[in-house]
Amino acid sequence: MLFRSEGSEPRVSSELDLMQRNIFRCVRIIEDLLDFSRGKEVQLHPVQLDRWVALQLEEQELPDFVGLRTDLRAQATVLLDSEKFRQAFVNLLQNAYQAIALRADQNPAQGQLTIATRRHGSRVEFSVRDDGCGIRPGTADKIFKPLFSTKAFGAGLGLPLVKEIVERHHGTLEVDSEWGVGTTVTISLPLAQQEAVANGKTMISR
């Protein structure tokens, strides 16, 4: 449901916009709760990671205060459940937007988001880096705990859900953050085996 605010008085338009944002937030919380409680089976199929990331970014509408830089040079194929991994990626992007917005309150200059991929031995590293507010000291060891959140509005399932999805892809997740400087989230995934790439087969991971 979208509220139409065109032609409304400024005060009414502002209230309608606020209602709409809160509805979207509620929907995201409900979706995260459902996804976290559902079965964890994923269906993996060969995906060229650089191309996949570029396609996902084409579908995203970046906030005006975020500048995007990409460095996609993995040139490698991994096994993904595209829909579930997209959910993890979008969660990371939204976290980055929010962190940049919080820092923008103190520094109005445009924030920077960097998406990078690279091959590292038998694995591929995929990173999302922002120059937002960073993670507050004393909370870094809690960010993967379900229902823990530093936000005024949220269920605290964003990063736990991302971690769960990554682990179902036989990957690992690392977060490097400095308060007031920014955060880098790095996902490491195994390269797809040649026989899986050749056959384009689907594998089920539980």
Side-chain angles (χ1 to χ4, degrees):
M1 176 186 296
L2 293 177
F3 296 105
R4 302 299 180 188
S5 58
E6 292 87 347
S8 302
E9 295 181 4
R11 183 178 64 81
V12 175
S13 178
S14 176
E15 291 295 329
L16 289 174
D17 288 343
L18 178 60
M19 288 173 61
Q20 185 166 297
R21 289 197 299 273
N22 284 336
I23 288 172
F24 287 155
R25 288 169 180 161
C26 288
V27 169
R28 185 185 174 199
I29 289 171
I30 292 170
E31 289 176 343
D32 283 349
L33 284 168
L34 289 172
D35 288 331
F36 199 75
S37 62
R38 284 171 181 160
K40 302 174 182 178
E41 183 177 283
V42 294
Q43 295 191 0
L44 308 176
H45 57 275
V47 170
Q48 211 286 338
L49 184 61
D50 294 347
R51 189 180 305 123
W52 184 89
V53 172
L55 288 173
Q56 304 311 309
L57 290 173
E58 286 179 7
E59 297 178 1
Q60 298 298 312
E61 184 175 348
L62 268 68
D64 293 338
F65 56 84
V66 176
L68 175 66
R69 188 175 75 88
T70 59
D71 182 19
L72 308 178
R73 50 193 176 93
Q75 298 183 358
T77 299
V78 295
L79 296 177
L80 294 186
D81 182 317
S82 292
E83 188 55 37
K84 286 187 171 59
F85 203 78
R86 178 183 182 278
Q87 183 181 13
F89 185 32
V90 170
N91 259 299
L92 293 179
L93 291 180
Q94 291 176 340
N95 284 346
Y97 301 159
Q98 292 168 4
I100 292 171
L102 287 172
R103 191 178 183 195
D105 290 342
Q106 302 172 355
N107 180 6
Q110 187 181 54
Q112 185 71 42
L113 174 67
T114 303
I115 312 295
T117 65
R118 71 184 185 104
R119 186 165 174 169
H120 186 69
S122 62
R123 302 183 72 83
V124 174
E125 291 186 352
F126 168 43
S127 64
V128 177
R129 182 170 75 246
D130 67 72
D131 60 357
C133 62
I135 297 174
R136 191 178 297 275
T139 62
D141 59 339
K142 303 176 183 177
I143 58 176
F144 292 118
K145 293 183 178 179
L147 306 182
F148 172 80
S149 178
T150 59
K151 302 169 187 174
F153 200 117
L157 288 175
L159 279 176
L161 185 59
V162 171
K163 185 173 184 288
E164 180 182 85
I165 291 172
V166 169
E167 289 176 347
R168 291 294 157 186
H169 286 76
H170 309 290
T172 60
L173 178 70
E174 293 185 1
V175 178
D176 182 18
S177 184
E178 184 176 350
W179 178 245
V181 176
T183 300
T184 301
V185 179
T186 303
I187 296 171
S188 175
L189 297 169
L191 290 171
Q193 298 296 319
Q194 289 299 318
E195 57 268 23
V197 176
N199 297 329
K201 67 170 65 173
T202 298
M203 302 173 62
I204 296 177
S205 176
R206 293 180 174 81

